[in-house]
Amino acid sequence: MPEFNEWDSFYVIVGGAAGALIGLQFVVMTLIAERPPLRAAEAGGAFGTPTIVHFSAVLLLAALLRAPWHAITFAAALWGIIGFSGVAYVLIVARRMRKQTAYRPDLEDWLFHVLAPLGAYAMLGASAFAAFSHAREALFGLGGSTLFLLFIGIHNAWDSVAYLVFVSRPKLDAEQDKSSGKKKR
């Protein structure tokens, strides 16, 4: 299908970025594994895992769109399934955010962990339906939602790392110093 050919470079770049960022997330998790913050596992399901899911969705979509499709029908059905699965997953994330007690989410957290991904996945699902009658426009919706998920993942990964380094780590260090009787110099 000629419309897919015009998007080749876009999905090579976006897919490569998503793959690299997944790797970086694993590096960060490895580095903090030695001294994890309290209740990190509880918060991970609400804040860390969704970031990997969004990056993985972008990587999957990039691979899906690089396949040599002869028509948009099957590809659109697959990206529609990804979109609607993403919507369901974001609702699970919202529930996890409400239930976890390790961190009190603020407005920015709700925006970037629930509302923005919900919009991106909904746009992905809607573009799949539009693909059957407006293929060119649907591919722009697909590209926009893919890029949006990548940027959401970047924001959330940075936010998590910044929280762990600048907020959680100093608290953990202070608690350990207090319990061992050490004084800071």
Side-chain angles (χ1 to χ4, degrees):
M1 175 157 188
E3 285 87 5
F4 286 138
N5 294 336
E6 297 173 13
W7 287 89
D8 261 2
S9 298
F10 176 82
Y11 285 105
V12 168
I13 293 167
V14 171
L21 291 166
I22 290 169
L24 286 173
Q25 280 290 103
F26 281 101
V27 169
V28 168
M29 296 306 278
T30 301
L31 291 174
I32 67 162
E34 186 178 310
R35 292 184 3 184
L38 299 173
R39 298 185 310 265
E42 180 185 357
F47 300 105
T49 304
T51 301
I52 295 297
V53 169
H54 302 327
F55 285 150
S56 298
V58 169
L59 185 59
L60 177 60
L61 287 163
L64 175 73
L65 270 291
R66 294 282 297 138
W69 302 106
H70 296 291
I72 200 167
T73 311
F74 192 66
L78 290 175
W79 90 62
I81 291 168
I82 294 168
F84 292 113
S85 298
V87 167
Y89 181 69
V90 171
L91 297 175
I92 292 168
V93 169
R95 187 183 55 160
R96 287 178 183 168
M97 283 178 64
R98 277 196 319 271
K99 289 177 76 174
Q100 61 84 32
T101 58
Y103 170 76
R104 186 170 171 250
D106 59 16
L107 179 62
E108 180 184 358
D109 295 315
W110 287 105
L111 177 64
F112 280 95
H113 288 275
V114 177
L115 296 176
L118 190 63
Y121 285 117
M123 183 166 60
L124 189 61
S127 70
F129 281 111
F132 301 106
S133 58
H134 298 90
R136 185 167 175 78
E137 293 82 1
L139 289 173
F140 276 98
L142 169 63
S145 58
T146 302
L147 198 56
F148 195 28
L149 283 170
L150 183 65
F151 287 139
I152 291 165
I154 291 169
H155 171 275
N156 292 350
W158 176 258
D159 197 43
S160 294
V161 169
Y163 177 80
L164 291 170
V165 170
F166 298 118
V167 177
S168 182
R169 187 65 168 224
K171 284 181 185 177
L172 183 60
D173 290 344
E175 288 172 7
Q176 287 179 343
D177 288 346
K178 187 177 178 181
S179 68
S180 68
K182 291 182 183 177
K183 291 185 181 181
K184 286 214 162 200
R185 293 183 183 183

